[in-house]
Amino acid sequence: NAGVTQTPKFRILKIGQSMTLQCTQDMNHNYMYWYRQDPGMGLKLIYYSVGAGITDKGEVPNGYNVSRSTTEDFPLRLELAAPSQTSVYFCASSNYGTGNTEAFFGQGTRLTVV
Amino acid sequence: GESVGLHLPTLSVQEGDNSIINCAYSNSASDYFIWYKQESGKGPQFIIDIRSNMDKRQGQRVTVLLNKTVKHLSLQIAATQPGDSAVYFCAEREGYSTLTFGKGTMLLVSP
């Protein structure tokens, strides 16, 4: 049972560099999410998707982009990295359409921008 | 906007004690309230949820209580064990929208 898989686990970026955080799930879930978690804080929603081809902004979308070309994959793109984007990023998926509230999270990607 | 918050940032208990973690919410339109556990270096893990039309739900060693009058949610953990040490988040959801998380409470269990 792979669940939600995120890569890479750790990354250091220089200011202005770009990168893509990968996320894939094998549970055929319709909903997928990207959250960021700053030290000692809760999770803030960056972007989410309710199905392939559909994405929407969350609470803190600035500086990020996403795409959802397949049910399984939901990559998060950082175009011009800034120190404020230093955080731990979590991808999650769920199947809310069935009334189930449980979201499954990946292990996280720890990103440092210097 | 609407938010979910916690009263206590850190809760220290002895092994075997019962733990109570509290949460205040402000979105009266939320349909579900959910508790997540996050161990160090890991992603959050679902514990239990409760629908807004219920006031109590029990799981294995955990009970969630919902008081809509004062917009308060609590998680009770019976016979707390060292493995329960983690950060606990409450979250809320309205309809099929996304989860809104609170800031978290650190639970420390001493042997």
Side-chain angles (χ1 to χ4, degrees), chain B residues 8-26:
Chain B
L8 299 174
T10 304
L11 177 64
S12 297
V13 301
Q14 293 289 116
E15 183 177 0
D17 286 352
N18 295 332
S19 302
I20 300 176
I21 300 171
N22 297 301
C23 175
Y25 67 92
S26 57

PDB file of all heavy atoms in Angstrom, chain B residues 8-26:
ATOM      1  N   LEU B   8      -4.790  25.149  24.098  1.00  0.00           N
ATOM      2  CA  LEU B   8      -3.535  24.828  24.741  1.00  0.00           C
ATOM      3  C   LEU B   8      -2.500  24.435  23.721  1.00  0.00           C
ATOM      4  O   LEU B   8      -2.649  23.467  23.003  1.00  0.00           O
ATOM      5  CB  LEU B   8      -3.726  23.667  25.732  1.00  0.00           C
ATOM      6  CG  LEU B   8      -4.699  23.895  26.875  1.00  0.00           C
ATOM      7  CD1 LEU B   8      -4.886  22.608  27.668  1.00  0.00           C
ATOM      8  CD2 LEU B   8      -4.190  24.983  27.795  1.00  0.00           C
ATOM      9  N   PRO B   9      -1.352  25.108  23.677  1.00  0.00           N
ATOM     10  CA  PRO B   9      -0.317  24.700  22.741  1.00  0.00           C
ATOM     11  C   PRO B   9       0.411  23.430  23.159  1.00  0.00           C
ATOM     12  O   PRO B   9       0.839  22.680  22.320  1.00  0.00           O
ATOM     13  CB  PRO B   9       0.628  25.893  22.747  1.00  0.00           C
ATOM     14  CG  PRO B   9       0.401  26.577  24.047  1.00  0.00           C
ATOM     15  CD  PRO B   9      -1.036  26.373  24.366  1.00  0.00           C
ATOM     16  N   THR B  10       0.590  23.166  24.463  1.00  0.00           N
ATOM     17  CA  THR B  10       1.292  21.981  24.942  1.00  0.00           C
ATOM     18  C   THR B  10       0.545  21.375  26.111  1.00  0.00           C
ATOM     19  O   THR B  10       0.126  22.080  27.006  1.00  0.00           O
ATOM     20  CB  THR B  10       2.722  22.322  25.383  1.00  0.00           C
ATOM     21  OG1 THR B  10       3.414  22.935  24.307  1.00  0.00           O
ATOM     22  CG2 THR B  10       3.462  21.071  25.813  1.00  0.00           C
ATOM     23  N   LEU B  11       0.406  20.063  26.092  1.00  0.00           N
ATOM     24  CA  LEU B  11      -0.233  19.323  27.157  1.00  0.00           C
ATOM     25  C   LEU B  11       0.699  18.200  27.604  1.00  0.00           C
ATOM     26  O   LEU B  11       1.072  17.368  26.791  1.00  0.00           O
ATOM     27  CB  LEU B  11      -1.572  18.745  26.684  1.00  0.00           C
ATOM     28  CG  LEU B  11      -2.336  17.867  27.672  1.00  0.00           C
ATOM     29  CD1 LEU B  11      -2.751  18.700  28.878  1.00  0.00           C
ATOM     30  CD2 LEU B  11      -3.560  17.238  27.002  1.00  0.00           C
ATOM     31  N   SER B  12       1.083  18.209  28.863  1.00  0.00           N
ATOM     32  CA  SER B  12       1.963  17.175  29.407  1.00  0.00           C
ATOM     33  C   SER B  12       1.177  16.289  30.359  1.00  0.00           C
ATOM     34  O   SER B  12       0.530  16.794  31.272  1.00  0.00           O
ATOM     35  CB  SER B  12       3.142  17.810  30.149  1.00  0.00           C
ATOM     36  OG  SER B  12       3.934  18.572  29.263  1.00  0.00           O
ATOM     37  N   VAL B  13       1.244  14.982  30.147  1.00  0.00           N
ATOM     38  CA  VAL B  13       0.514  14.033  30.991  1.00  0.00           C
ATOM     39  C   VAL B  13       1.420  12.869  31.350  1.00  0.00           C
ATOM     40  O   VAL B  13       2.453  12.640  30.711  1.00  0.00           O
ATOM     41  CB  VAL B  13      -0.766  13.509  30.301  1.00  0.00           C
ATOM     42  CG1 VAL B  13      -1.702  14.664  29.949  1.00  0.00           C
ATOM     43  CG2 VAL B  13      -0.418  12.691  29.073  1.00  0.00           C
ATOM     44  N   GLN B  14       1.004  12.114  32.366  1.00  0.00           N
ATOM     45  CA  GLN B  14       1.698  10.903  32.744  1.00  0.00           C
ATOM     46  C   GLN B  14       1.078   9.721  32.011  1.00  0.00           C
ATOM     47  O   GLN B  14      -0.132   9.701  31.732  1.00  0.00           O
ATOM     48  CB  GLN B  14       1.563  10.669  34.252  1.00  0.00           C
ATOM     49  CG  GLN B  14       2.283  11.699  35.112  1.00  0.00           C
ATOM     50  CD  GLN B  14       3.784  11.558  35.051  1.00  0.00           C
ATOM     51  OE1 GLN B  14       4.480  12.449  34.589  1.00  0.00           O
ATOM     52  NE2 GLN B  14       4.278  10.422  35.511  1.00  0.00           N
ATOM     53  N   GLU B  15       1.906   8.753  31.707  1.00  0.00           N
ATOM     54  CA  GLU B  15       1.414   7.525  31.082  1.00  0.00           C
ATOM     55  C   GLU B  15       0.290   6.928  31.923  1.00  0.00           C
ATOM     56  O   GLU B  15       0.395   6.835  33.147  1.00  0.00           O
ATOM     57  CB  GLU B  15       2.558   6.521  30.947  1.00  0.00           C
ATOM     58  CG  GLU B  15       2.164   5.233  30.250  1.00  0.00           C
ATOM     59  CD  GLU B  15       3.356   4.301  30.080  1.00  0.00           C
ATOM     60  OE1 GLU B  15       4.463   4.670  30.510  1.00  0.00           O
ATOM     61  OE2 GLU B  15       3.160   3.210  29.510  1.00  0.00           O
ATOM     62  N   GLY B  16      -0.784   6.563  31.255  1.00  0.00           N
ATOM     63  CA  GLY B  16      -1.929   5.978  31.949  1.00  0.00           C
ATOM     64  C   GLY B  16      -3.022   6.981  32.266  1.00  0.00           C
ATOM     65  O   GLY B  16      -4.172   6.597  32.501  1.00  0.00           O
ATOM     66  N   ASP B  17      -2.669   8.270  32.263  1.00  0.00           N
ATOM     67  CA  ASP B  17      -3.677   9.298  32.500  1.00  0.00           C
ATOM     68  C   ASP B  17      -4.588   9.419  31.279  1.00  0.00           C
ATOM     69  O   ASP B  17      -4.256   8.967  30.191  1.00  0.00           O
ATOM     70  CB  ASP B  17      -3.015  10.663  32.731  1.00  0.00           C
ATOM     71  CG  ASP B  17      -2.361  10.765  34.096  1.00  0.00           C
ATOM     72  OD1 ASP B  17      -2.549   9.841  34.912  1.00  0.00           O
ATOM     73  OD2 ASP B  17      -1.663  11.770  34.317  1.00  0.00           O
ATOM     74  N   ASN B  18      -5.712  10.079  31.488  1.00  0.00           N
ATOM     75  CA  ASN B  18      -6.571  10.454  30.359  1.00  0.00           C
ATOM     76  C   ASN B  18      -6.183  11.856  29.902  1.00  0.00           C
ATOM     77  O   ASN B  18      -5.899  12.728  30.728  1.00  0.00           O
ATOM     78  CB  ASN B  18      -8.041  10.435  30.770  1.00  0.00           C
ATOM     79  CG  ASN B  18      -8.511   9.037  31.134  1.00  0.00           C
ATOM     80  OD1 ASN B  18      -7.992   8.048  30.628  1.00  0.00           O
ATOM     81  ND2 ASN B  18      -9.478   8.949  32.029  1.00  0.00           N
ATOM     82  N   SER B  19      -6.155  12.066  28.601  1.00  0.00           N
ATOM     83  CA  SER B  19      -5.792  13.371  28.033  1.00  0.00           C
ATOM     84  C   SER B  19      -7.007  14.003  27.387  1.00  0.00           C
ATOM     85  O   SER B  19      -7.828  13.309  26.789  1.00  0.00           O
ATOM     86  CB  SER B  19      -4.699  13.199  26.975  1.00  0.00           C
ATOM     87  OG  SER B  19      -3.549  12.584  27.514  1.00  0.00           O
ATOM     88  N   ILE B  20      -7.089  15.311  27.510  1.00  0.00           N
ATOM     89  CA  ILE B  20      -8.161  16.050  26.846  1.00  0.00           C
ATOM     90  C   ILE B  20      -7.536  17.206  26.075  1.00  0.00           C
ATOM     91  O   ILE B  20      -6.874  18.066  26.658  1.00  0.00           O
ATOM     92  CB  ILE B  20      -9.195  16.599  27.848  1.00  0.00           C
ATOM     93  CG1 ILE B  20      -9.838  15.453  28.623  1.00  0.00           C
ATOM     94  CG2 ILE B  20     -10.265  17.397  27.099  1.00  0.00           C
ATOM     95  CD1 ILE B  20     -10.797  15.919  29.704  1.00  0.00           C
ATOM     96  N   ILE B  21      -7.756  17.207  24.786  1.00  0.00           N
ATOM     97  CA  ILE B  21      -7.244  18.266  23.915  1.00  0.00           C
ATOM     98  C   ILE B  21      -8.441  19.039  23.400  1.00  0.00           C
ATOM     99  O   ILE B  21      -9.417  18.448  22.915  1.00  0.00           O
ATOM    100  CB  ILE B  21      -6.434  17.679  22.748  1.00  0.00           C
ATOM    101  CG1 ILE B  21      -5.248  16.874  23.298  1.00  0.00           C
ATOM    102  CG2 ILE B  21      -5.938  18.786  21.820  1.00  0.00           C
ATOM    103  CD1 ILE B  21      -4.501  16.079  22.258  1.00  0.00           C
ATOM    104  N   ASN B  22      -8.368  20.363  23.513  1.00  0.00           N
ATOM    105  CA  ASN B  22      -9.509  21.215  23.181  1.00  0.00           C
ATOM    106  C   ASN B  22      -9.299  22.006  21.906  1.00  0.00           C
ATOM    107  O   ASN B  22      -8.171  22.268  21.486  1.00  0.00           O
ATOM    108  CB  ASN B  22      -9.777  22.189  24.330  1.00  0.00           C
ATOM    109  CG  ASN B  22     -10.162  21.482  25.594  1.00  0.00           C
ATOM    110  OD1 ASN B  22     -11.146  20.755  25.613  1.00  0.00           O
ATOM    111  ND2 ASN B  22      -9.377  21.666  26.648  1.00  0.00           N
ATOM    112  N   CYS B  23     -10.403  22.419  21.326  1.00  0.00           N
ATOM    113  CA  CYS B  23     -10.365  23.173  20.077  1.00  0.00           C
ATOM    114  C   CYS B  23     -11.604  24.058  20.007  1.00  0.00           C
ATOM    115  O   CYS B  23     -12.705  23.611  20.338  1.00  0.00           O
ATOM    116  CB  CYS B  23     -10.337  22.197  18.894  1.00  0.00           C
ATOM    117  SG  CYS B  23     -10.437  22.959  17.278  1.00  0.00           S
ATOM    118  N   ALA B  24     -11.407  25.309  19.599  1.00  0.00           N
ATOM    119  CA  ALA B  24     -12.520  26.214  19.373  1.00  0.00           C
ATOM    120  C   ALA B  24     -12.656  26.438  17.875  1.00  0.00           C
ATOM    121  O   ALA B  24     -11.651  26.568  17.181  1.00  0.00           O
ATOM    122  CB  ALA B  24     -12.292  27.538  20.085  1.00  0.00           C
ATOM    123  N   TYR B  25     -13.862  26.459  17.377  1.00  0.00           N
ATOM    124  CA  TYR B  25     -14.056  26.728  15.960  1.00  0.00           C
ATOM    125  C   TYR B  25     -15.021  27.893  15.808  1.00  0.00           C
ATOM    126  O   TYR B  25     -15.739  28.240  16.752  1.00  0.00           O
ATOM    127  CB  TYR B  25     -14.581  25.490  15.234  1.00  0.00           C
ATOM    128  CG  TYR B  25     -15.973  25.061  15.616  1.00  0.00           C
ATOM    129  CD1 TYR B  25     -17.086  25.515  14.926  1.00  0.00           C
ATOM    130  CD2 TYR B  25     -16.173  24.175  16.666  1.00  0.00           C
ATOM    131  CE1 TYR B  25     -18.358  25.124  15.272  1.00  0.00           C
ATOM    132  CE2 TYR B  25     -17.441  23.776  17.023  1.00  0.00           C
ATOM    133  CZ  TYR B  25     -18.533  24.249  16.325  1.00  0.00           C
ATOM    134  OH  TYR B  25     -19.797  23.860  16.679  1.00  0.00           O
ATOM    135  N   SER B  26     -15.004  28.504  14.633  1.00  0.00           N
ATOM    136  CA  SER B  26     -15.852  29.682  14.447  1.00  0.00           C
ATOM    137  C   SER B  26     -16.824  29.548  13.281  1.00  0.00           C
ATOM    138  O   SER B  26     -17.770  30.329  13.181  1.00  0.00           O
ATOM    139  CB  SER B  26     -14.996  30.937  14.250  1.00  0.00           C
ATOM    140  OG  SER B  26     -14.123  30.779  13.154  1.00  0.00           O
TER     141      SER B  26
END
